[in-house]
């Protein structure tokens, strides 16, 4: 599945259901707890202009989900008409000059929308603005004048919205605070920068920050500082493995199972900048990292891609080639960031091994579930700002995935939630006595705020339909919140 194929499927559905009434635009990849879907914005052309009536999504298998029905179309058109009626009338426009009267011309159809071009221009302007802010801040800092430094301090936080450069911006913010004599604040920014670089195992950047930290607090104190701990952990994560059974996914398998995996693995090597997988290309192979580091990049609905995590020795990559439907595609771009060695497995050959040794398939399935949830959290509006360490803690709080039936009571009234749920399929409802029902659809969290604050529920949380949920341990989530910064706690509360 790719954007063009998704557009074809959504357009065919819209034509079959509503004829020429609807137009499909702006198809983009969206990350969900179940994996990727392709979402197409659907519009209806009216005298008031093009009216958005909803979005239609296509799954990897080509199935349509989140349909737009006639009620949604009517509601959208009524809302636009009501707004038009309530809008204050404007003075009549003066008559057009003769040379500008094109009423005698006729067009078979309206000109194509300029949204794509506008989006591209917006991205260009955003990049230019960021570059301008960075250059201005650099000039201000270079003066060494305190007033100029304070002006630069107000500029730099505007650059933190770009995930790919956040580590470098945080480092510059830390250095700036040190220049201003704010040692504690400067060290906090340097630690935040180190966490960004640790996510990508950027050893050179971590070593520079560790050296700067040691210069400020002294070599002895620096040995036990958070930055030094991050540096040591990053170095440990890069330690190569030389046998398949050292990969965490395969630890504990029988000698016979390991023997078949070893026979299927073919050693390969990549250079820095080489792409191992490209999002959207056919998924036919899986890999285990032997040495080096790779970055995982996800396409965003706004266009472009962003790095969301790194893969280190022992990591398994490419579950879709083993477990995906025929014709499935890679769900991420994976790029080598250093000289990297791997074992390569043909997906078809792994499927044959799994048929004989189901435990291997169970483990690969668990890896796929965690990777899908990590991609969802990486691109979710609320949790995208969390660093990899916090996302890993959230994933470590998962108790399991369960199917629920309509009517199942998930959390009881009068008690603190016994579990926090992420809805994967179906719908949960919170039903307080005498109050409005709160609905939790796919990709939403239920019971989180009450769990974090240990508040008893006033009503029952019930499965309104058959579905699938991911269950989180509330005690582990509270442990994350207890040790987290106020910014992380705010993100956790926004998840519901």
């Amino acid at each position: 599945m790719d954007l063009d194929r998704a557009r074809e499927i959504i357009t065919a559905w819209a034509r079959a259901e509503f004829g020429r009434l609807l137009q499909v635009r702006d198809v983009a990849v969206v990350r969900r707890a179940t994996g990727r879907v392709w979402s197409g914005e659907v519009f209806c052309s009216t005298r008031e202009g093009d009216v958005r009536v909803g979005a239609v999504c296509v799954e990897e298998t080509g199935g349509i989900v989140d349909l737009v029905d006639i009620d949604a179309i009517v509601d959208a058109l009524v809302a636009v008409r009501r707004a038009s009626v309530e809008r204050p009338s404007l003075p009549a426009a003066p008559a057009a000059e003769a040379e500008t009267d094109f009423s005698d011309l006729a067009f078979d159809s309206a000109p194509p929308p300029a949204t794509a071009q506008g989006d591209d221009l917006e991205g260009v302007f955003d990049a230019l603005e960021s570059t301008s802010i960075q250059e201005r801040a650099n000039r201000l800092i270079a003066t060494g004048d305190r007033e100029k430094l304070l002006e630069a301090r107000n500029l730099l936080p505007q650059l933190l919205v770009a995930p790919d450069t956040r580590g470098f911006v945080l480092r510059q913010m830390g250095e700036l605070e040190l220049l201003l004599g704010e040692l504690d604040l400067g060290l906090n920014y340097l630690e935040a920068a180190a966490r960004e670089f640790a996510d990508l195992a950027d050893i050179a950047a971590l070593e520079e920050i560790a050296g700067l930290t040691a210069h400020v607090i002294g070599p002895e104190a620096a040995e036990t500082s958070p930055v030094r701990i991050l540096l040591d952990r990053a170095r440990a994560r890069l330690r190569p493995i030389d046998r398949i059974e050292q990969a965490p996914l395969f630890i504990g398998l029988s000698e016979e199972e390991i023997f078949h995996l070893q026979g299927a693995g073919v050693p390969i090597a990549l250079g820095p900048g080489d792409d191992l997988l490209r999002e959207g290309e056919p998924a036919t192979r899986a890999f285990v990292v032997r040495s080096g580091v790779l970055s995982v990049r996800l396409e965003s609905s706004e266009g472009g891609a962003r790095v969301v995590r790194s893969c280190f020795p022992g990591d398994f990559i490419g579950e879709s080639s083993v477990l995906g439907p025929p014709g499935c595609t890679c769900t991420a771009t994976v790029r080598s960031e250093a000289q990297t060695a791997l074992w390569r497995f043909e997906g078809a050959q792994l499927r044959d091994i799994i048929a004989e040794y189901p435990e291997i398939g169970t483990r690969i399935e668990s890896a796929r579930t965690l990777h899908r949830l990590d991609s969802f959290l990486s691109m979710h509006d609320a949790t995208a700002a969390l660093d990899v360490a916090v996302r890993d803690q959230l994933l470590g709080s998962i108790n399991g995935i369960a199917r629920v039936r309509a009517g199942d009571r998930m959390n009881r009234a009068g008690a603190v939630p016994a579990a926090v749920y992420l809805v994967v399929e179906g719908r949960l409802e919170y039903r307080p006595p005498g109050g409005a029902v709160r609905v939790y659809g796919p990709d939403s969290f239920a019971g989180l705020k009450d769990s974090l604050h240990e508040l008893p529920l006033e009503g029952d949380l019930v499965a309104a339909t058959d579905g699938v949920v991911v269950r989180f341990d509330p005690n582990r989530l509270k442990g994350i919140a207890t040790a987290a910064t106020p910014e992380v706690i705010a993100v956790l509360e926004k998840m519901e």
Side-chain angles (χ1 to χ4, degrees):
M1 182 64 62
D2 57 23
L3 293 178
D4 290 338
R5 179 59 181 150
R7 182 184 296 276
E8 290 176 4
I9 293 174
I10 298 172
T11 300
W13 171 86
R15 285 291 173 87
E17 293 292 324
F18 298 102
R20 301 181 65 86
L21 178 66
L22 301 183
Q23 299 177 5
V24 179
R25 301 177 189 162
D26 302 330
V27 179
V29 175
V30 177
R31 310 286 165 171
R32 290 190 167 177
T34 52
R36 293 182 305 168
V37 298
W38 286 259
S39 177
E41 299 290 311
V42 181
F43 289 80
C44 180
S45 295
T46 73
R47 287 178 296 178
E48 304 294 336
D50 289 345
V51 178
R52 182 187 182 278
V53 298
V56 177
C57 296
V58 179
E59 296 178 311
E60 180 82 51
T61 58
I64 293 281
V65 293
D66 294 348
L67 302 180
V68 172
D69 58 21
I70 190 65
D71 290 336
I73 297 174
V74 172
D75 289 345
L77 296 178
V78 168
V80 170
R81 177 53 56 87
R82 182 180 295 118
S84 175
V85 171
E86 295 175 353
R87 188 183 304 130
S89 60
L90 299 176
E97 297 294 332
E99 60 269 23
T100 62
D101 184 3
F102 301 117
S103 59
D104 58 330
L105 298 181
F107 297 92
D108 292 334
S109 60
T115 53
Q117 182 180 0
D119 290 345
D120 291 343
L121 288 175
E122 184 177 352
V124 170
F125 289 140
D126 288 344
L128 290 174
E129 183 179 4
S130 297
T131 301
S132 176
I133 292 173
Q134 183 67 73
E135 291 176 348
R136 184 181 175 193
N138 291 343
R139 290 195 299 269
L140 292 170
I141 294 172
T143 67
D145 179 76
R146 184 172 179 82
E147 292 300 319
K148 301 295 185 182
L149 296 180
L150 292 173
E151 187 177 347
R153 172 197 266 179
N154 293 329
L155 288 175
L156 289 178
Q158 300 177 49
L159 302 174
L160 292 175
V161 295
D164 291 346
T165 58
R166 187 180 294 137
F168 299 99
V169 175
L170 286 167
R171 172 181 169 169
Q172 190 172 27
M173 292 171 66
E175 294 171 339
L176 177 57
E177 294 300 333
L178 296 180
L179 288 174
L180 291 169
E182 299 291 342
L183 300 187
D184 289 342
L185 185 55
L187 290 171
N188 286 338
Y189 281 135
L190 291 179
E191 181 182 338
R195 294 188 184 281
E196 294 286 333
F197 292 128
D199 291 346
L200 303 176
D202 190 334
I203 301 299
L206 283 169
E207 288 175 340
E208 290 177 358
I209 293 178
L212 183 56
T213 302
H215 180 73
V216 175
I217 65 177
E220 185 175 348
E223 285 297 314
T224 56
S225 69
V227 172
R228 182 53 185 267
I229 293 172
L230 288 168
L231 174 59
D232 291 342
R233 286 178 180 172
R235 286 171 172 165
R237 294 180 77 179
L238 288 174
R239 188 173 299 122
I241 65 172
D242 52 22
R243 299 191 306 276
I244 289 285
E245 62 265 34
Q246 292 175 322
L249 190 66
F250 299 140
I251 290 176
L253 290 177
S254 68
E255 291 184 4
E256 188 175 358
E257 289 168 322
I258 293 297
F259 173 80
H260 282 82
L261 287 171
Q262 287 176 334
V266 177
I268 65 169
L270 298 176
D274 290 345
D275 283 344
L276 179 68
L277 301 172
R278 291 189 180 94
E279 183 166 356
E281 292 190 350
T284 60
R285 292 169 172 169
F287 306 86
V288 171
V289 184
R290 299 175 61 189
S291 64
V293 59
L294 304 102
S295 60
V296 178
R297 302 161 184 263
L298 300 180
E299 293 180 4
S300 68
S301 57
E302 295 80 19
R306 55 169 293 201
V307 177
V308 296
R309 70 160 51 241
S310 293
C311 296
F312 302 98
D315 285 346
F316 185 88
I317 306 166
E319 311 88 53
S320 295
S321 69
V322 185
L323 303 173
C328 68
T329 57
C330 299
T331 60
T333 294
V334 181
R335 181 169 300 164
S336 176
E337 299 296 332
Q339 195 68 32
T340 302
L342 309 99
W343 284 289
R344 184 186 68 206
F345 300 87
E346 297 298 329
Q349 190 173 3
L350 275 181
R351 287 194 293 273
D352 290 341
I353 294 174
I354 289 171
E356 189 171 354
Y357 303 100
E359 173 62 19
I360 297 175
T362 300
R363 295 190 180 203
I364 295 177
E365 177 65 55
S366 69
R368 181 171 71 161
T369 299
L370 289 177
H371 288 170
R372 282 179 168 181
L373 290 173
D374 181 59
S375 295
F376 167 68
L377 294 174
S378 301
M379 307 301 279
H380 190 277
D381 290 342
T383 55
L386 296 175
D387 63 31
V388 173
V390 177
R391 296 206 312 267
D392 284 344
Q393 291 175 1
L394 288 175
L395 295 174
S397 302
I398 293 174
N399 270 344
I401 300 176
R403 290 196 169 275
V404 297
R405 301 183 66 84
D408 286 352
R409 184 155 48 180
M410 314 299 294
N411 284 323
R412 296 178 178 274
V416 175
V420 174
Y421 298 97
L422 168 61
V423 181
V424 177
E425 298 174 8
R427 189 174 74 251
L428 303 184
E429 290 182 355
Y430 175 60
R431 301 171 179 173
V437 172
R438 187 184 307 166
V439 178
Y440 298 92
D443 300 338
S444 59
F445 291 84
L448 182 58
K449 290 182 180 179
D450 296 300
S451 175
L452 291 178
H453 297 287
E454 298 185 343
L455 299 175
L457 296 176
E458 295 181 1
D460 290 330
L461 181 67
V462 178
T465 65
D466 292 353
V468 178
V469 297
V470 177
R471 187 173 58 247
F472 290 80
D473 184 332
N475 293 321
R476 291 184 183 178
L477 292 176
K478 282 184 287 187
I480 296 172
T482 300
T485 62
E487 293 80 9
V488 171
I489 295 173
V491 168
L492 293 177
E493 291 184 340
K494 283 175 60 179
M495 287 165 57
E496 183 168 346

